[in-house]
Amino acid sequence: MPNISRDEVAHLAKLARLAVTDEELDTFAGQLDQILDAVAKVGEVAGGDIPPTSHAVPLTNVFRDDVVRQGLSQQQALAGAPAAEEGRFRVPRILGEEQ
Amino acid sequence: MTDPTDLTKLSAAELAAKIHAREVTSAEVTRAHLDRIAAVDDHVHAFLHVDREGALAAAEAVDADLAAGRAPASPLAGVPLALKDVFTTKGIPTTCGSRTLEDWVPPYDATVTRRLREAGVVILGKTNMDEFAMGSSTENSAFGPTHNPWDHARIPGGSGGGSSASLAAFEAPLAIGTDTGGSIRQPGAVTGTVGVKPTYGGVSRYGLVAFSSSLDQGGPCARTVLDAALLHEVIGGHDPMDSTSIDAPVPPVVEAAREGARGDLSGMRIGVVSEFRGEGYQPGVLRSFEAAVDQLRALGAEVVEVSCPHFTYALPAYYLIAPSEASSNLARFDAMRYGLRVSDDGTHSAEEVMSLTREAGFGPEVKRRIMLGTYALSSGYYDAYYGSAQQVRTLIIRDFDAAFEQVDVLVSPTTPTTAFKIGERVDDPLAMYLADLCTIPSDLAGNAALSVPCGLSDEDGLPVGLQVMAPALADDRLYKVAAAYEGARDATAGSLVHQVPELNGAAR
């Protein structure tokens, strides 16, 4: 039976870039434990000789001729940006204090 | 009896015939639906955005074409439609029911949107949905729940509750949904409308904001089987912009619906899935379903019991595969290039802004699934969870293959229960997930499936859906069986969706 701790949920949230609150950690820890317990049932029938299916249809690469075509204009690309400056996306600082 | 003067009560096929014969204009039809939305949507909350000006302009363009003697662009030209807010619409907001995309206006149209516009279909607006299509009740929308027109205290199904509710509330004659685990069929069943999940790859996913890429499938929602078929042919077909799009002709679904409407199913073999009638099913749902099976038999079909033993593992497999893909797909909402950004005050790094924005922008169900998917894909757990789920998917496909060697289509109830009360399952994710129990196998296998109304449960007077499942690329079989059944049921009990109570309850 899975037993997912509050610390593990905090770690998952960090990996998933979610700044969850303490209250959410308590809620999610209980719920994820319950859900994982229920879904672990898949292990009952899955065996080594069964090939996994990732997609219901066979996938092949789709190629097209490498030709120049109209893309989004600078204005269109920036229209949905949370912040823009001098025709570019403005983002928060990438490097921490120590860099 | 439908009032022939009330344009909102007519089917899409009836409206198209009147518009093309110039008995009524598309603008008049569109205005009737916009007025209906204005009158009742405070009660239903099916729409997140109504594009009144755009809809009327599109309708007038169709009218101008017809007045000039040009042939209609498609059999549905001039007919209004409600579009799930998960499809991108150039110049019209697309939120996916999330605060993350609250103010986002896409710079491009999804292929489905483009095909609708080219066909002269009038887009009324965007419909409410569970955030990023995660849910079975439309309670996870950041903008508030949609209410079931049959009973405002109940859910309209999810995630496409807005699309199906708009049909049952007579706000639109047609709608588009997406089905990842049942999000077209399950809302169809609980609102007394028709919902179709086409074969995976049968309708382009380009411009459909991805939740679980190997499962997501757009499809038609309507009040009649024929209307759904007409819409299916407008939106279906190969799209070079989508690498998962099948390069094959759209099955002749309209022809099949018309053939089915003649009411003869002799020569068809129909399998009843034995795993989908047992414990946990509402007795009234089962009684309606059994009556539908009797009706299919009366139409000449041979009905046999078929076992699909791995279907009971579909739900757990789905709740590993879908969140895994979601955890990857939703990484794009990083607050950098579009969408919400919070805490960008100069004191936080990009990574901190990303985490704080995702915390503020996503609701609990989305967060839960992102974390579940992150866990299932993480080193050490991958084989036990995600890997095993993919193996179960193979077993389910094998079950379908074996079943379709014996029968032409399979049938089951669409949902184990009728619409439950708003709030009843929000704190119990496992109970909520059960709503999609019967619909998930077809998504995992990529098959075609449909839900058609099959009466009202005798316990609560709420709609029940009959699910029909067919092999991939045999979507036409769904329409034949469903149209035959619908015709026989309507002949004895009348159109179910026209029995929806008048919308005069308390506003939300």
Side-chain angles (χ1 to χ4, degrees):
Chain A
M1 179 180 166
N3 194 359
I4 188 163
S5 68
R6 201 172 176 281
D7 286 349
E8 281 177 294
V9 176
H11 180 61
L12 286 175
K14 191 169 185 293
L15 291 175
R17 303 283 185 272
L18 286 169
V20 292
T21 62
D22 280 350
E23 194 186 334
E24 280 177 322
L25 280 182
D26 290 333
T27 308
F28 287 144
Q31 290 177 338
L32 287 177
D33 201 44
Q34 264 191 317
I35 296 168
L36 285 167
D37 191 31
V39 299
K41 196 179 168 193
V42 293
E44 289 174 12
V45 289
D49 57 338
I50 304 162
T53 300
S54 66
H55 238 90
V57 294
L59 292 181
T60 50
N61 265 336
V62 177
F63 296 101
R64 63 173 169 81
D65 293 333
D66 187 13
V67 290
V68 176
R69 61 178 184 181
Q70 187 74 39
L72 293 180
S73 66
Q74 186 184 47
Q75 196 185 5
Q76 284 174 319
L78 292 172
E85 199 174 301
E86 296 177 8
R88 297 176 175 86
F89 293 100
R90 188 178 65 73
V91 299
R93 62 183 167 82
I94 304 293
L95 302 176
E97 298 296 337
E98 68 278 13
Q99 280 100 350
Chain B
M1 188 72 180
T2 304
D3 176 359
T5 62
D6 186 348
L7 296 173
T8 65
K9 296 288 170 73
L10 300 180
S11 71
E14 289 166 336
L15 287 171
K18 282 181 180 291
I19 293 167
H20 299 173
R22 302 189 61 206
E23 287 170 28
V24 63
T25 64
S26 172
E28 285 169 326
V29 171
T30 301
R31 213 170 279 117
H33 286 91
L34 290 168
D35 290 349
R36 174 75 179 168
I37 293 168
V40 304
D41 208 51
D42 265 359
H43 301 282
V44 183
H45 194 213
F47 285 86
L48 292 177
H49 181 86
V50 177
D51 183 23
R52 188 177 180 91
E53 280 180 24
L56 286 171
E60 282 159 10
V62 172
D63 290 333
D65 270 355
L66 294 171
R70 286 186 282 274
S74 79
L76 290 176
V79 178
L81 171 140
L83 183 58
K84 190 174 180 181
D85 203 26
V86 70
F87 287 94
T88 56
T89 40
K90 188 175 181 178
I92 303 173
T94 299
T95 70
C96 297
S98 180
R99 292 277 174 218
T100 295
L101 289 177
E102 188 167 7
D103 298 317
W104 187 55
V105 180
Y108 72 109
D109 273 340
T111 296
V112 163
T113 310
R114 179 175 57 77
R115 286 186 176 165
L116 291 167
R117 291 193 205 273
E118 287 171 358
V121 174
V122 175
I123 298 171
L124 294 167
K126 307 295 288 294
T127 54
N128 201 8
M129 55 183 282
D130 280 308
E131 185 176 11
F132 289 109
M134 297 181 197
S136 307
S137 65
T138 315
E139 290 169 285
N140 297 319
S141 167
F143 307 107
T146 295
H147 299 254
N148 193 325
W150 289 85
D151 177 349
H152 296 177
R154 292 178 189 267
I155 60 108
S159 63
S163 288
S164 295
S166 75
L167 301 172
F170 298 97
E171 295 171 287
L174 294 171
I176 296 281
T178 58
D179 200 297
T180 306
S183 296
I184 292 175
R185 290 162 286 158
Q186 185 254 12
V190 302
T191 60
T193 59
V194 177
V196 185
K197 184 199 92 71
T199 297
Y200 178 82
V203 173
S204 172
R205 294 190 307 110
Y206 177 75
L208 193 183
V209 180
F211 156 24
S212 179
S213 306
S214 78
L215 303 167
D216 297 338
Q217 182 57 66
C221 310
R223 290 195 291 260
T224 72
V225 174
L226 176 62
D227 283 0
L230 289 163
L231 184 54
H232 191 142
E233 289 200 353
V234 165
I235 60 173
H238 181 242
D239 178 15
M241 301 293 278
D242 173 4
S243 65
T244 58
S245 168
I246 295 175
D247 193 0
V250 181
V253 293
V254 172
E255 190 188 317
R258 292 194 195 283
E259 190 191 331
R262 290 197 279 273
D264 181 9
L265 290 180
S266 53
M268 283 211 84
R269 283 175 64 86
I270 295 178
V272 175
V273 181
S274 44
E275 282 75 12
F276 285 161
R277 324 155 87 167
E279 212 176 306
Y281 286 76
Q282 189 176 317
V285 167
L286 287 180
R287 282 191 286 273
S288 292
F289 171 69
E290 299 299 348
V293 172
D294 287 343
Q295 183 70 71
L296 293 171
R297 228 180 253 119
L299 289 163
E302 184 187 348
V303 178
V304 295
E305 189 94 1
V306 173
S307 175
C308 296
H310 298 101
F311 278 19
T312 49
Y313 295 91
L315 193 70
Y318 173 86
Y319 278 100
L320 287 164
I321 293 168
S324 296
E325 294 185 11
S327 70
S328 168
N329 275 326
L330 268 62
R332 73 189 58 176
F333 299 106
D334 60 5
M336 297 298 126
R337 290 146 297 141
Y338 58 96
L340 183 73
R341 180 187 290 176
V342 303
S343 303
D344 182 15
D345 55 7
T347 68
H348 293 97
S349 68
E351 189 179 324
E352 287 164 345
V353 167
M354 205 179 286
S355 295
L356 290 164
T357 301
R358 285 161 65 82
E359 163 66 6
F362 292 149
E365 183 62 29
V366 171
K367 288 177 190 166
R368 197 155 43 228
R369 294 202 196 190
I370 287 175
M371 286 197 281
L372 183 59
T374 305
Y375 182 84
L377 291 176
S378 59
S379 171
Y381 298 109
Y382 181 94
D383 287 338
Y385 290 105
Y386 184 73
S388 295
Q390 300 287 38
Q391 288 180 308
V392 167
R393 196 170 184 175
T394 303
L395 294 170
I396 287 163
I397 291 170
R398 289 178 182 173
D399 276 1
F400 270 121
D401 289 346
F404 289 132
E405 280 179 15
Q406 304 169 60
V407 296
D408 298 302
V409 297
L410 293 167
V411 293
S412 76
T414 309
T415 57
T417 69
T418 54
F420 47 89
K421 292 211 167 124
I422 290 174
E424 192 176 286
R425 301 189 188 180
V426 281
D427 295 324
D428 186 352
L430 285 177
M432 182 72 84
Y433 296 167
L434 284 172
D436 293 334
L437 184 69
C438 308
T439 48
I440 281 172
S442 297
D443 292 292
L444 290 172
N447 290 343
L450 168 156
S451 179
V452 61
C454 74
L456 302 174
S457 166
D458 50 21
E459 293 136 341
D460 51 24
L462 292 169
V464 177
L466 167 70
Q467 179 176 224
V468 189
M469 296 168 272
L473 295 175
D475 306 46
D476 48 330
R477 291 186 203 170
L478 305 176
Y479 287 94
K480 183 179 174 183
V481 172
Y485 171 73
E486 176 187 62
R489 191 213 54 217
D490 285 5
T492 53
S495 163
L496 190 133
V497 75
H498 287 94
Q499 295 167 36
V500 71
E502 276 302 310
L503 289 167
N504 53 9
R508 67 189 164 93

